[in-house]
Amino acid sequence: MQLLIKSSSAILSSVSSRQRCPQASGLESIAPLVSTAEETPHPITTTIKGTIPTWINGSFLRNGPGKFEFGEDRYTHWFDGMAMMHRFHICEGNVTYSSRFLRSDSYVLNSERNRIVVSEFGTLAMPDPCKNIFARFFSRFTIPKATDNAGVNFVKYKGDYYVSTETNYMRRVDPQSLETKEKVDWSQYVAVNAATAHPHYDRDGATYNMGNSYGTSGFFYNIIRVPPPEENAAKEDSEDLNGAQVICSIQASESRKPSYFHSFVMSENYIVFVEQPIKLDLLKFMLYRIAGKSFHKVMTWDPTYETIFHLVNRHTGKKSEVKYCAAPMFTLHQINAFEDSGFLVMDMCCGDDGEVIADYTLENLRRDTGEEMDKFYNSMCRNLPRRYVLPLSVDEETPLDQNLVTLPNYKATAKKTNPGEVYMTHEELHDDELLQYGGLEFPQINYDQYNGRPYRYFYACGFGHVFGDSLLKMDVHTKELKVWRYPGFFPSEPVFVASPRATEEDDGVVLSVIITPREEKSTFLLVLDAKTFTELGRAEVPVNIPYGTHGVFNGMG
């Protein structure tokens, strides 16, 4: 791959994130990375190269789409593929691998009928050809039930693992056997119609998430709190979301065009919901089945809207009366947030247009090597790390049109522009070197010790291709990079695991699953020293694994 790199003097803050990153030429096809794989339900041994530290004791769990067709029916969008769970069990320097398809209702029904009968994000299930013409016609006027194809992430509530997507359904799973357990409906516990696959966890064991709801009174973004498990509660092999409650409901700025969201921000005392200009047209949503359009067709990027940050005290559920605004931007994943001397510092992966989600169709991802793949990649948004700083004490006495960010060495600004309104500009959390790696996504930190607290390091995938093609370690103090990158290798989201006697933030390892389109059955689990970002070892697995989404490390005693 050839990268044409712009000089730093030509890069201006007014240039979009996509334009700032280099254009690519000669990108290889990644079609094998979005092809159906076979499950490996019984653990198999791997071949160890180098050394896997013996102190690592647990399972690296991964999730993502793994089956893209049933019979003659084909899925349209990458997100639609049936969820496939992966487990790398690490113990005493050895690694085994297993995988299973999630036995969701969607998977079971599709398998039984050998065709797609449940609609997904980008694929609309067609009426049953066995029905008569009248039944098929009227079936278009029935809004289909949400899918339980939970292929985005592993999440944890009250000590139990679930796999999750962005509907109201999750599936509880056994993290050891990857057995699918009961379907869980959020709406049976709290008044929400959906929830994210990116909850946050506090140090007391409570879990926070965001969901939405809509009705005659409008559209609301809801902050959900699930309490910690009770110490003396009888442990039954069943779901337990009892005690879940909505602690704050935020009304959409425009009820007919609410914003899409994938995650949210949490510090020790605050939650911030980012209302961004990716809009859902609710009228289209209600009519999309009649029109024969899939869900992603009702999402549009509309930069005529500003970005609004809704600040909520997570202990009281009280929403700030201050409206925090910024220029239009797109974000999927937040890096971290922390409080510092009366300010809330928020670090996020951001881009300047939000067309990227709809672009990830399988047709685009399976383009041929060369011009067609280059054209697709070069048209896409690039996400870069940015820092926003919210002043927490804004009142009637706060002066207008003055930069309120008084923290030393911070370049982000916040100005009170009207009573009760603050406009913010961001600080770039990177140097020009990052641009040659295509920006970054899938950020991870030392979550257990530094989530919601001042931190220094985060890890991510660099996107010099349509999928991540490098692993990056970023120092947010110096903006320096460490990089792991080899041609033809595509790493998964990096997950940090701290060493047992860690005294420093980056004392541990980073785990990532590496796949390649160049050779069959050439997957390996990569273990990097988090401090030096050099390879310690790898566990080679003789299976094909499709490109996935998110994962967690489940430590064992």
Side-chain angles (χ1 to χ4, degrees):
M1 181 181 71
Q2 231 178 355
L3 292 173
L4 310 177
I5 303 173
K6 299 177 182 179
S7 66
S8 59
S9 61
I11 297 175
L12 304 174
S13 59
S14 60
V15 178
S16 76
S17 55
R18 177 173 56 82
Q19 293 170 315
R20 292 177 63 192
C21 290
Q23 298 285 289
S25 175
L27 293 178
E28 66 184 297
S29 172
I30 56 168
L33 307 188
V34 286
S35 298
T36 294
E38 297 293 327
E39 64 180 2
T40 307
H42 304 294
I44 59 174
T45 59
T46 64
T47 301
I48 306 297
K49 300 289 180 67
T51 302
I52 309 296
T54 55
W55 57 260
I56 305 176
N57 186 18
S59 296
F60 185 32
L61 304 173
R62 296 273 306 150
N63 201 356
K67 182 175 176 59
F68 299 96
E69 66 283 313
F70 284 93
E72 299 299 315
D73 292 354
R74 302 288 184 267
Y75 286 114
T76 301
H77 198 280
W78 178 51
F79 294 172
D80 300 342
M82 293 291 96
M84 190 177 196
M85 303 173 290
H86 310 267
R87 177 178 183 250
F88 293 84
H89 182 60
I90 310 170
C91 184
E92 298 294 332
N94 295 308
V95 181
T96 60
Y97 169 78
S98 57
S99 64
R100 283 192 175 188
F101 285 111
L102 179 71
R103 262 55 179 188
S104 61
D105 289 352
S106 300
Y107 179 91
V108 172
L109 287 170
N110 293 336
S111 298
E112 287 176 350
R113 302 181 189 180
N114 199 31
R115 66 181 188 88
I116 297 172
V117 298
V118 180
S119 294
E120 301 291 341
F121 176 77
T123 304
L124 190 71
M126 290 296 102
D128 188 342
C130 295
K131 290 182 179 179
N132 65 43
I133 189 169
F134 297 106
R136 291 167 63 188
F137 174 77
F138 284 111
S139 69
R140 284 194 174 272
F141 292 85
T142 304
I143 298 298
K145 290 184 178 180
T147 180
D148 66 336
N149 177 34
V152 178
N153 204 0
F154 279 85
V155 299
K156 208 170 185 180
Y157 295 98
K158 292 191 173 184
D160 282 334
Y161 274 101
Y162 299 78
V163 285
S164 180
T165 180
E166 295 186 333
T167 70
N168 58 306
Y169 293 121
M170 300 186 296
R171 277 283 185 169
R172 197 166 68 92
V173 295
D174 185 323
Q176 309 303 321
S177 66
L178 302 181
E179 176 191 355
T180 301
K181 298 193 174 184
E182 68 269 30
K183 182 167 72 171
V184 181
D185 183 351
W186 269 110
S187 66
Q188 300 300 307
Y189 293 90
V190 287
V192 298
N193 301 107
T196 83
H198 287 289
H200 276 292
Y201 310 95
D202 69 17
R203 286 171 177 80
D204 296 325
T207 307
Y208 293 80
N209 207 339
M210 293 286 307
N212 59 46
S213 60
Y214 46 89
T216 56
S217 56
F219 192 102
F220 293 87
Y221 314 108
N222 302 297
I223 300 173
I224 308 163
R225 180 183 184 271
V226 179
E230 297 178 12
E231 288 186 17
N232 299 320
K235 187 62 178 176
E236 297 181 2
D237 187 21
S238 62
E239 67 185 86
D240 180 13
L241 298 183
N242 291 311
Q245 60 178 325
V246 172
I247 63 171
C248 182
S249 290
I250 302 164
Q251 187 156 19
S253 299
E254 186 174 344
S255 60
R256 292 185 180 181
K257 288 189 176 182
S259 292
Y260 169 78
F261 58 96
H262 185 72
S263 58
F264 61 100
V265 178
M266 190 173 90
S267 68
E268 287 198 292
N269 295 296
Y270 295 95
I271 284 174
V272 180
F273 170 67
V274 183
E275 192 172 17
Q276 59 186 340
I278 300 182
K279 296 295 183 178
L280 307 177
D281 189 317
L282 291 188
L283 180 59
K284 288 183 179 179
F285 176 73
M286 300 303 290
L287 299 174
Y288 83 111
R289 184 167 175 85
I290 300 172
K293 293 182 179 179
S294 54
F295 178 74
H296 79 291
K297 296 292 186 181
V298 308
M299 298 172 60
T300 56
W301 166 249
D302 190 345
T304 61
Y305 291 90
E306 291 182 316
T307 303
I308 302 174
F309 300 86
H310 298 275
L311 176 69
V312 177
N313 184 310
R314 75 174 178 91
H315 304 296
T316 66
K318 183 178 180 181
K319 180 181 178 296
S320 172
E321 295 180 0
V322 178
K323 181 181 179 182
Y324 297 91
C325 304
M329 66 86 169
F330 158 70
T331 182
L332 279 176
H333 301 110
Q334 284 70 58
I335 303 167
N336 199 10
F338 58 90
E339 296 147 44
D340 186 355
S341 306
F343 296 89
L344 178 60
V345 181
M346 305 187 307
D347 297 343
M348 300 183 285
C349 296
C350 305
D352 292 312
D353 72 72
E355 303 288 351
V356 62
I357 295 177
D359 286 342
Y360 271 67
T361 63
L362 290 169
E363 180 182 11
N364 280 334
L365 295 176
R366 291 169 176 166
R367 291 189 182 198
D368 291 336
T369 296
E371 184 178 352
E372 284 301 305
M373 181 59 79
D374 297 344
K375 183 179 178 181
F376 171 48
Y377 173 80
N378 291 330
S379 70
M380 292 175 62
C381 176
R382 303 286 189 279
N383 282 6
L384 299 168
R386 293 177 178 172
R387 171 166 287 177
Y388 291 87
V389 180
L390 279 66
L392 296 172
S393 300
V394 178
D395 55 29
E396 295 177 356
E397 304 301 319
T398 303
L400 292 172
D401 298 321
Q402 293 183 20
N403 182 17
L404 304 177
V405 181
T406 56
L407 296 171
N409 303 318
Y410 282 57
K411 296 178 182 178
T413 69
K415 295 181 180 180
K416 181 180 173 183
T417 53
N418 290 298
E421 187 167 320
V422 172
Y423 190 85
M424 303 183 301
T425 64
H426 64 268
E427 173 185 352
E428 301 285 3
L429 266 189
H430 63 91
D431 287 334
D432 289 354
E433 182 186 4
L434 175 62
L435 302 179
Q436 67 181 291
Y437 297 102
L440 55 80
E441 255 297 346
F442 293 151
Q444 289 281 332
I445 62 170
N446 180 344
Y447 190 94
D448 290 345
Q449 296 300 318
Y450 289 88
N451 183 56
R453 295 174 174 175
Y455 75 113
R456 181 166 183 171
Y457 304 108
F458 74 90
Y459 313 90
C461 287
F463 273 73
H465 204 303
V466 174
F467 284 150
D469 68 342
S470 62
L471 291 171
L472 308 175
K473 177 186 179 181
M474 171 72 77
D475 184 330
V476 299
H477 290 180
T478 65
K479 301 182 180 177
E480 293 178 333
L481 276 180
K482 286 185 169 68
V483 182
W484 185 94
R485 187 186 198 186
Y486 292 92
F489 283 165
F490 292 83
S492 72
E493 167 190 63
V495 170
F496 176 85
V497 182
S499 63
R501 298 177 181 84
T503 57
E504 296 180 278
E505 181 181 343
D506 59 349
D507 188 355
V509 297
V510 168
L511 304 179
S512 179
V513 179
I514 313 299
I515 58 179
T516 178
R518 297 184 178 184
E519 190 175 348
E520 281 279 303
K521 300 182 178 180
S522 296
T523 301
F524 61 91
L525 173 66
L526 175 68
V527 182
L528 296 177
D529 182 298
K531 191 177 293 291
T532 63
F533 225 53
T534 55
E535 182 173 338
L536 296 174
R538 60 179 67 178
E540 297 177 345
V541 190
V543 297
N544 291 325
I545 296 179
Y547 196 81
T549 46
H550 298 287
V552 298
F553 182 75
N554 178 28
M556 309 291 286

